[in-house]
Amino acid sequence: MEIEEESLCLMIVRPVGPMDMGHAVSISTQLYEALDSNRQRLVSLEETILSLESGDVKNQQVALDDLKSLDLLLEEMSSRMSLGTVDEKRSLAVTVMNLAVDCWVESIGSTKADMAEQSGLWNVYMERDGYFRTQTLDKYLDEETLPKKPRWKKVLVTAEFVLANCGEDSPLCQELKTAADLFRG
């Protein structure tokens, strides 16, 4: 891409196929570090321009303004690309799952086990006493029991299933939609 007489390279990073989330986070971390490193180079270049003793103040100011604009753009890209800490993502996943269950129970009037069974996303086991158990889903409802490598996509698909089957008029479902959008990034 050409911007006036300068070249700009745009890189889109996304998984091509099934990929371990840890690998995707590693790529994101590397990209964030590269952006931060370039931002530091811009700061250094800005200081160099300021230290020049040239009579061409107008061109120096134009270059300085361009650098500031580029710095702001890089900072915005950096903040958009960083997913936050893994702990924040884990916490948000738990919030999304709890909201999904609460929204389902409030809107449909049936149980968490019914949601798990109807969605086909979570296993449901019947105990000897006839009680339905959602052991894996239950692990996603508390940060302490959330698996070390959670199935992030399953969290989103669960939220989407609940939203598709529940009226979004409910404040709880609106909260779920907002949390799912935030989780999606």
Side-chain angles (χ1 to χ4, degrees):
M1 175 181 221
E2 295 282 322
I3 298 180
E4 293 181 22
E5 295 180 18
E6 298 294 322
S7 295
L8 174 67
C9 178
L10 176 64
M11 178 174 57
I12 299 173
V13 179
R14 65 179 172 85
V16 176
M19 184 190 314
D20 178 49
M21 188 60 187
H23 183 65
V25 170
S26 173
I27 290 172
S28 295
T29 302
Q30 291 172 3
L31 184 57
Y32 178 80
E33 290 170 358
L35 287 171
D36 189 51
S37 173
N38 286 329
R39 193 159 110 33
Q40 290 172 1
R41 285 186 193 115
L42 287 173
V43 169
S44 176
L45 186 57
E46 180 181 356
E47 291 170 0
T48 302
I49 289 173
L50 287 172
S51 70
L52 290 176
E53 294 183 8
S54 172
D56 196 1
V57 176
K58 183 179 177 183
N59 283 338
Q60 278 185 337
Q61 188 58 46
V62 169
L64 188 58
D65 291 342
D66 287 347
L67 284 174
K68 286 182 181 177
S69 297
L70 190 54
D71 185 44
L72 288 173
L73 180 62
L74 286 172
E75 193 169 333
E76 183 180 336
M77 281 178 59
S78 176
S79 67
R80 283 186 183 200
M81 302 225 29
S82 83
L83 299 172
T85 66
V86 174
D87 289 339
E88 289 170 352
K89 186 162 182 133
R90 292 174 64 84
S91 177
L92 188 54
V94 169
T95 299
V96 167
M97 287 301 295
N98 278 295
L99 285 169
V101 170
D102 293 345
C103 182
W104 177 268
V105 170
E106 177 187 275
S107 297
I108 304 296
S110 62
T111 66
K112 165 180 65 172
D114 291 331
M115 180 195 81
E117 187 174 47
Q118 289 180 28
S119 72
L121 298 167
W122 305 96
N123 292 329
V124 180
Y125 306 97
M126 187 188 309
E127 296 287 329
R128 289 183 180 150
D129 61 0
Y131 174 75
F132 288 101
R133 188 170 166 201
T134 55
Q135 183 178 2
T136 307
L137 185 146
D138 290 344
K139 290 179 181 181
Y140 282 74
L141 300 177
D142 187 340
E143 284 184 61
E144 297 294 320
T145 57
L146 187 67
K148 288 184 180 186
K149 292 185 178 182
R151 308 271 182 188
W152 302 121
K153 186 170 179 137
K154 206 174 214 184
V155 171
L156 274 177
V157 174
T158 300
E160 290 166 357
F161 171 80
V162 170
L163 289 170
N165 287 285
C166 299
E168 290 188 24
D169 298 335
S170 157
L172 199 55
C173 290
Q174 285 295 326
E175 193 176 342
L176 171 60
K177 183 175 179 0
T178 302
D181 288 344
L182 184 61
F183 184 77
R184 187 178 291 109

